[in-house]
């Protein structure tokens, strides 16, 4: 009953907010688009309205793993994928330099395939705001590490249907980022 109610509310919201506009594009959407948005809406409600919780993957890192272990595992999982490390943002270290105070660990790894990025931007220039793909390592107040990354199911299935070659490449990026996160969370290679 609860899922039916969520689906009904989502349907009413979509039709109310977009009316005939939604109906005019629904046939152009990826077949999984509505499932993606239903799942996002459920997470949004469960989290008390936290947009991040609705749009992001989150994985707890196994106890005993260090930030260096996480980094090595993420890098190892990327080998051979075509995704390159294009930057690291050691935010906790920068904050320590600025404040002189010790900070909880916060690091952002950035990965990209220039050729797939070009396809994404050619498909929709709005995708440029999502580039490069990022995996964040966040230490919580109890000293646990968590990995966060954009839920790339939205990227692959959340909008209008992609051309087959681009969709294949987008799915590859999605699968690789997820694999990298799983490796980082478990210390795998």
């Amino acid at each position: 009953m609860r899922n039916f109610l969520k689906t009904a509310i989502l349907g009413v919201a979509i039709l109310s907010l977009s009316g005939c506009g939604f109906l005019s594009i629904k046939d152009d959407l990826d077949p999984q688009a509505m499932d993606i948005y239903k799942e996002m809406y459920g997470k949004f409600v469960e989290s008390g309205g936290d947009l991040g919780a609705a749009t992001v993957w989150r994985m707890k890192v196994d106890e005993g793993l260090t930030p260096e272990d996480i980094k090595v595992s993420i890098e190892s999982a990327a080998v051979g994928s075509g995704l390159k490390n294009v930057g690291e943002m050691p935010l906790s270290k920068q904050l320590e330099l600025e404040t002189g105070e010790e900070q909880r660990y916060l690091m952002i790894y950035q990965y990209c395939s220039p050729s797939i990025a070009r396809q994404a931007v050619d498909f929709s220039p709005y995708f440029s705001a999502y580039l490069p793909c990022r995996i964040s390592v966040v230490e919580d107040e109890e000293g646990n590490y968590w990995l966060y990354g954009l839920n790339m199911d939205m990227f692959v299935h959340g909008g209008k249907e992609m051309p087959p070659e681009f969709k294949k490449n987008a799915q590859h990026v999605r699968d690789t980022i997820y694999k990298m996160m799983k490796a980082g969370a478990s210390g795998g290679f």
Side-chain angles (χ1 to χ4, degrees):
M1 179 67 175
R2 185 174 177 177
N3 283 338
F4 173 76
L5 186 57
K6 280 191 218 177
T7 303
I9 291 170
L10 179 62
V12 168
I14 289 171
L15 291 174
S16 296
L17 294 174
S18 59
C20 294
F22 173 76
L23 296 175
S24 71
I25 65 163
K26 73 176 182 57
D27 292 337
D28 296 331
L29 296 178
D30 182 283
Q32 296 179 44
M34 292 312 295
D35 293 334
I36 296 295
Y37 287 106
K38 187 167 83 172
E39 180 182 332
M40 282 176 48
Y41 178 75
K43 289 179 179 179
F44 181 74
V45 171
E46 286 174 24
S47 69
D50 186 333
L51 182 61
T55 59
V56 170
W57 288 324
R58 177 183 185 212
M59 296 180 192
K60 186 173 184 184
V61 175
D62 290 349
E63 282 190 42
L65 294 178
T66 66
E68 185 60 29
D69 296 331
I70 297 166
K71 177 180 180 171
V72 169
S73 295
I74 288 171
E75 289 174 345
S76 295
V79 171
S81 70
L83 295 183
K84 308 289 186 220
N85 183 332
V86 295
E88 297 178 6
M89 298 172 63
L91 297 175
S92 51
K93 286 187 180 187
Q94 182 62 39
L95 286 169
E96 286 176 7
L97 290 172
E98 291 176 11
T99 66
E101 298 174 12
E102 190 172 328
Q103 301 288 319
R104 284 182 283 127
Y105 191 78
L106 177 56
M107 170 68 85
I108 301 174
Y109 296 101
Q110 301 175 91
Y111 281 81
C112 192
S113 163
S115 62
I116 298 173
R118 177 82 266 167
Q119 287 179 330
V121 173
D122 287 348
F123 180 73
S124 171
Y126 294 104
F127 280 149
S128 64
Y130 292 106
L131 300 173
C133 298
R134 292 171 293 282
I135 299 173
S136 302
V137 182
V138 179
E139 181 182 9
D140 68 18
E141 292 178 2
E142 288 79 41
N144 300 304
Y145 295 108
W146 295 85
L147 301 182
Y148 295 86
L150 181 67
N151 180 337
M152 298 200 55
D153 292 328
M154 295 181 312
F155 168 59
V156 178
H157 302 291
K160 61 185 177 179
E161 185 68 37
M162 297 173 171
E165 184 65 23
F166 173 46
K167 188 170 188 174
K168 179 180 135 195
N169 290 334
Q171 185 70 46
H172 170 72
V173 171
R174 179 257 181 240
D175 293 346
T176 302
I177 293 295
Y178 194 82
K179 175 184 168 187
M180 292 165 65
M181 289 181 69
K182 292 286 280 184
S186 68
F189 293 94

